Tab-separated table of all heavy atoms in Angstrom:
chain	number	residue	atom	x	y	z
A	205	PRO	N	-77.266	45.175	1.108
A	205	PRO	CA	-75.807	45.055	1.148
A	205	PRO	C	-75.094	46.327	0.723
A	205	PRO	O	-75.560	47.043	-0.149
A	205	PRO	CB	-75.504	43.929	0.165
A	205	PRO	CG	-76.790	43.401	-0.311
A	205	PRO	CD	-77.898	44.278	0.177
A	214	TRP	N	-70.017	37.786	-1.685
A	214	TRP	CA	-70.029	38.006	-0.251
A	214	TRP	C	-68.612	37.997	0.298
A	214	TRP	O	-67.667	37.626	-0.384
A	214	TRP	CB	-70.929	37.053	0.501
A	214	TRP	CG	-70.681	35.587	0.344
A	214	TRP	CD1	-69.634	34.880	0.833
A	214	TRP	CD2	-71.512	34.647	-0.331
A	214	TRP	NE1	-69.757	33.567	0.524
A	214	TRP	CE2	-70.907	33.382	-0.196
A	214	TRP	CE3	-72.713	34.750	-1.016
A	214	TRP	CZ2	-71.472	32.233	-0.734
A	214	TRP	CZ3	-73.265	33.597	-1.550
A	214	TRP	CH2	-72.652	32.373	-1.399
A	219	GLU	N	-61.512	39.097	4.764
A	219	GLU	CA	-62.073	40.448	4.660
A	219	GLU	C	-62.742	40.853	5.977
A	219	GLU	O	-62.636	42.003	6.411
A	219	GLU	CB	-63.082	40.527	3.517
A	219	GLU	CG	-62.453	40.478	2.144
A	219	GLU	CD	-63.481	40.401	1.032
A	219	GLU	OE1	-64.399	39.553	1.108
A	219	GLU	OE2	-63.366	41.195	0.077
A	255	GLU	N	-78.009	53.697	8.259
A	255	GLU	CA	-78.276	55.134	8.176
A	255	GLU	C	-78.966	55.656	9.431
A	255	GLU	O	-79.647	54.908	10.135
A	255	GLU	CB	-79.148	55.433	6.953
A	255	GLU	CG	-78.537	55.019	5.625
A	255	GLU	CD	-77.319	55.833	5.234
A	255	GLU	OE1	-77.067	56.908	5.849
A	255	GLU	OE2	-76.594	55.401	4.312
A	256	GLU	N	-78.819	56.945	9.667
A	256	GLU	CA	-79.475	57.608	10.791
A	256	GLU	C	-80.974	57.320	10.745
A	256	GLU	O	-81.600	57.400	9.689
A	256	GLU	CB	-79.235	59.114	10.717
A	256	GLU	CG	-79.786	59.871	11.899
A	256	GLU	CD	-79.450	61.353	11.841
A	256	GLU	OE1	-78.511	61.742	11.114
A	256	GLU	OE2	-80.140	62.112	12.531
A	292	ILE	N	-79.539	31.868	20.018
A	292	ILE	CA	-79.376	32.240	21.421
A	292	ILE	C	-80.611	31.761	22.182
A	292	ILE	O	-81.625	31.408	21.576
A	292	ILE	CB	-79.197	33.770	21.628
A	292	ILE	CG1	-80.403	34.535	21.081
A	292	ILE	CG2	-77.901	34.250	20.993
A	292	ILE	CD1	-80.379	36.034	21.358
A	297	SER	N	-82.132	33.614	33.391
A	297	SER	CA	-82.901	34.821	33.707
A	297	SER	C	-83.774	35.317	32.553
A	297	SER	O	-84.578	36.213	32.738
A	297	SER	CB	-81.956	35.944	34.145
A	297	SER	OG	-81.056	36.269	33.117
A	322	PRO	N	-76.193	24.190	22.226
A	322	PRO	CA	-76.460	24.973	23.436
A	322	PRO	C	-75.232	25.090	24.340
A	322	PRO	O	-74.531	24.114	24.581
A	322	PRO	CB	-77.569	24.194	24.139
A	322	PRO	CG	-78.218	23.413	23.048
A	322	PRO	CD	-77.128	23.081	22.071
A	323	LYS	N	-74.983	26.313	24.799
A	323	LYS	CA	-73.869	26.592	25.713
A	323	LYS	C	-74.394	27.524	26.800
A	323	LYS	O	-74.634	28.696	26.551
A	323	LYS	CB	-72.709	27.242	24.965
A	323	LYS	CG	-72.053	26.304	23.964
A	323	LYS	CD	-70.900	26.981	23.261
A	323	LYS	CE	-70.257	26.077	22.250
A	323	LYS	NZ	-70.998	25.968	21.007
A	329	GLY	N	-77.049	29.125	21.618
A	329	GLY	CA	-77.325	27.844	21.002
A	329	GLY	C	-78.723	27.854	20.412
A	329	GLY	O	-79.630	28.482	20.936
A	348	ALA	N	-78.404	54.252	19.716
A	348	ALA	CA	-78.937	54.600	21.037
A	348	ALA	C	-80.121	53.705	21.362
A	348	ALA	O	-80.939	53.379	20.497
A	348	ALA	CB	-79.397	56.065	21.034
Side-chain angles (χ1 to χ4, degrees):
W214 57 71
E219 288 174 311
E255 300 292 346
E256 185 176 341
I292 59 174
S297 61
K323 293 181 181 78

